Amino acid sequence: MTAHIEPTLTHSQTHHSQMLEQVTALAQAKNQQDIESSLGIYHQDAELITPSLNAHGIGAAQVRQQLELFFNVFPDYKVTLEQHAFNGNLLLATGQVTVTPTLSPAISNKPLPTVTVPVFIEFHFKDGKITKEVFHLDIEHIYKKSGLTKQSLYMNNQLFINTKKAGLHHA
C-alpha cells in the first residue's frame, strides 16, 4: 500500500482555487471589455502573447495597448472557459471564444457573422497574479468562418502586425 502525499505549496506558488478564481475574474472582465479590471488581475510585469496575431506585450502599458487593439477588432468578444488543468503555477484552460470581426471600412462595409471557435489559454502565476497569458486561437478560422479572404485577413491584421508603432513586441 502506498501512501498518498499531498503536494506542498511554496510561498511563490498560488493555490489552485485562487488561480481559477483569478482566471474566471479575468474572463468576466474581458467579456465586459473592462481593461482596468483586467489589468488589476495581471502582474505589473505581465506578458500577453497571442501567437496567431504575432502580438507580444510586456508590462502594464503594452498589455493595455494589446487589449485595446483586440477589442477594437472584436468588440463583442466573449470567452467561455470549459476545462482547466493545473501544474504548479500554471493553469491551462480550454473553451470557446465568440466574436464578430470588425474590419476597417477600407476592407469591407458588409456586416460579418458572429463566429465561435475553440480557444486554448496558458496562464502563468507568480505572487498571486497572472504573470503571463498565452492566448491560442485560430485567427484564420475566425476569418474563414466569417467569409473573408486571406487578403482581408492580412490587411486587417496589419493592426496587430504593425504594433511596433504602438510599442508592442512581436513573438
Side-chain angles (χ1 to χ4, degrees):
M1 185 166 129
T2 55
H4 177 72
I5 300 173
E6 289 294 323
T8 303
L9 295 176
T10 66
H11 72 281
S12 66
Q13 290 179 309
T14 304
H15 191 270
H16 293 167
S17 64
Q18 293 170 327
M19 294 165 63
L20 184 56
E21 284 176 22
Q22 288 190 8
V23 166
T24 300
L26 181 63
Q28 291 171 348
K30 285 183 173 183
N31 285 347
Q32 297 169 6
Q33 297 189 9
D34 184 344
I35 292 173
E36 294 306 318
S37 292
S38 296
L39 290 173
I41 297 167
Y42 288 114
H43 190 278
Q44 68 181 9
D45 298 321
E47 290 183 73
L48 179 55
I49 304 167
T50 308
S52 65
L53 296 172
N54 198 30
H56 184 182
I58 302 173
Q62 291 182 6
V63 169
R64 173 187 297 279
Q65 289 173 326
Q66 202 168 340
L67 290 172
E68 288 171 352
L69 290 169
F70 193 81
F71 294 147
N72 280 331
V73 175
F74 303 114
D76 62 346
Y77 170 89
K78 296 284 184 253
V79 65
T80 304
L81 301 178
E82 298 165 348
Q83 296 180 332
H84 59 274
F86 301 96
N87 185 5
N89 287 330
L90 172 67
L91 185 154
L92 302 174
T94 62
Q96 297 184 73
V97 65
T98 301
V99 295
T100 306
T102 300
L103 297 176
S104 163
I107 299 171
S108 175
N109 287 329
K110 72 176 186 171
L112 297 174
T114 299
V115 298
T116 300
V117 296
V119 65
F120 173 77
I121 311 170
E122 302 172 42
F123 296 98
H124 301 257
F125 289 81
K126 180 181 175 187
D127 301 327
K129 296 273 191 174
I130 296 173
T131 58
K132 183 177 181 180
E133 176 185 351
V134 185
F135 188 77
H136 299 276
L137 81 156
D138 186 344
I139 194 72
E140 264 193 67
H141 192 61
I142 290 173
Y143 284 91
K144 186 177 181 181
K145 286 180 84 172
S146 298
L148 297 172
T149 65
K150 273 196 171 210
Q151 181 62 23
S152 295
L153 167 65
Y154 173 79
M155 290 172 61
N156 205 54
N157 284 344
Q158 289 305 303
L159 177 65
F160 293 96
I161 293 168
N162 292 326
T163 53
K164 282 187 180 178
K165 294 177 184 174
L168 299 177
H169 292 88
H170 294 284

